[in-house]
């Protein structure tokens, strides 16, 4: 472990199970497809379904000239998975390059809510280029005391 940040730990990628290493690599590849002519901030996501033979779904951010319509990488991946019949997820990896602040990029509030909709037991892996460090956390840590309702789950 290389350190801690909030309710999370920073580990070396080599210490993670092979499937998670693959998930992280997939998120790094997905990032290259980002459509972000306005922010120029590329984000990639890879989502792992929770089943015997897990499937990976990729996502990138898709911006729009009407800025507010932008869809984040995490939500792109979730929408792809749900529209493919998956509603349970084990993990999500997010890759972005905030080298200016030397920070991991963590899902925005909307994406946290979108992830937790499909289960509170999702591991979250954050990476940045040029480092073998991975910030490992959970959606519950990222969105504590999340909204519950009588009509939801
Ligand atoms: N972005 C994501 O793709 N995921 C997040 O969780 C945070 C922000 C994107 C949206 C926008 O295209 C760019 O990053 C800059 O905000």
């Amino acid at each position: 472990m290389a350190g801690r940040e909030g309710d999370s730990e920073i580990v070396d990628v080599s210490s993670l199970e092979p499937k998670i290493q693959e998930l992280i690599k997939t998120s790094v590849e997905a990032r290259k497809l980002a459509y972000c002519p306005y922010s120029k901030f590329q984000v990639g996501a890879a989502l792992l379904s929770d089943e015997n033979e897990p499937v990976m779904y990729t996502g990138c951010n898709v911006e729009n000239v009407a800025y507010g319509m932008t869809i984040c990488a995490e939500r792109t991946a979730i929408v792809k998975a749900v529209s493919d019949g998956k509603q349970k997820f084990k993990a999500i990896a997010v890759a972005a390059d905030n080298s200016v602040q030397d920070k991991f990029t963590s899902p925005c509030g909307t994406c946290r809510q979108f992830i937790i909709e499909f289960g509170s037991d999702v591991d979250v892996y954050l990476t940045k280029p040029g480092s073998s460090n991975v910030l490992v956390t959970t959606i519950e840590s990222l969105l504590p005391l999340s909204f519950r309702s009588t009509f939801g789950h």
Side-chain angles (χ1 to χ4, degrees):
M1 200 204 330
R4 289 189 71 83
E5 187 178 306
D7 195 0
S8 64
E9 60 178 344
I10 297 170
V11 304
D12 195 89
V13 68
S14 61
S15 70
L16 299 169
E17 61 176 281
K19 198 74 191 168
I20 298 300
Q21 292 192 31
E22 192 189 333
L23 190 74
I24 288 170
K25 277 197 195 122
T26 303
S27 71
V28 170
E29 284 304 304
R31 179 172 170 260
K32 295 177 184 163
L33 298 174
Y35 174 74
C36 51
Y38 308 104
S39 75
K40 307 223 169 10
F41 189 74
Q42 299 174 297
V43 185
L47 181 68
L48 192 64
S49 69
D50 185 12
E51 52 198 337
N52 284 343
E53 302 215 356
V55 181
M56 279 183 203
Y57 292 89
T58 58
C60 62
N61 47 333
V62 182
E63 298 187 345
N64 192 278
V65 64
Y67 295 173
M69 290 172 63
T70 292
I71 304 173
C72 293
E74 299 90 323
R75 278 179 287 143
T76 302
I78 292 170
V79 167
K80 283 169 72 177
V82 173
S83 61
D84 195 36
K86 314 290 179 186
Q87 296 190 0
K88 280 192 77 191
F89 306 108
K90 242 197 247 292
I92 187 165
V94 182
D97 183 4
N98 187 350
S99 46
V100 174
Q101 294 167 321
D102 192 28
K103 293 257 189 246
F104 291 97
T105 299
S106 194
C108 74
T110 301
C111 288
R112 292 175 195 207
Q113 181 65 39
F114 219 81
I115 295 166
I116 214 163
E117 174 72 16
F118 297 100
S120 50
D121 199 16
V122 179
D123 294 325
V124 179
Y125 298 89
L126 310 180
T127 59
K128 48 189 180 185
S131 168
S132 63
N133 283 347
V134 180
L135 189 149
V136 185
T137 185
T138 63
I139 192 59
E140 283 245 275
S141 308
L142 292 177
L143 194 63
L145 296 174
S146 65
F147 174 64
R148 308 273 167 202
S149 75
T150 51
F151 47 87
H153 39 258

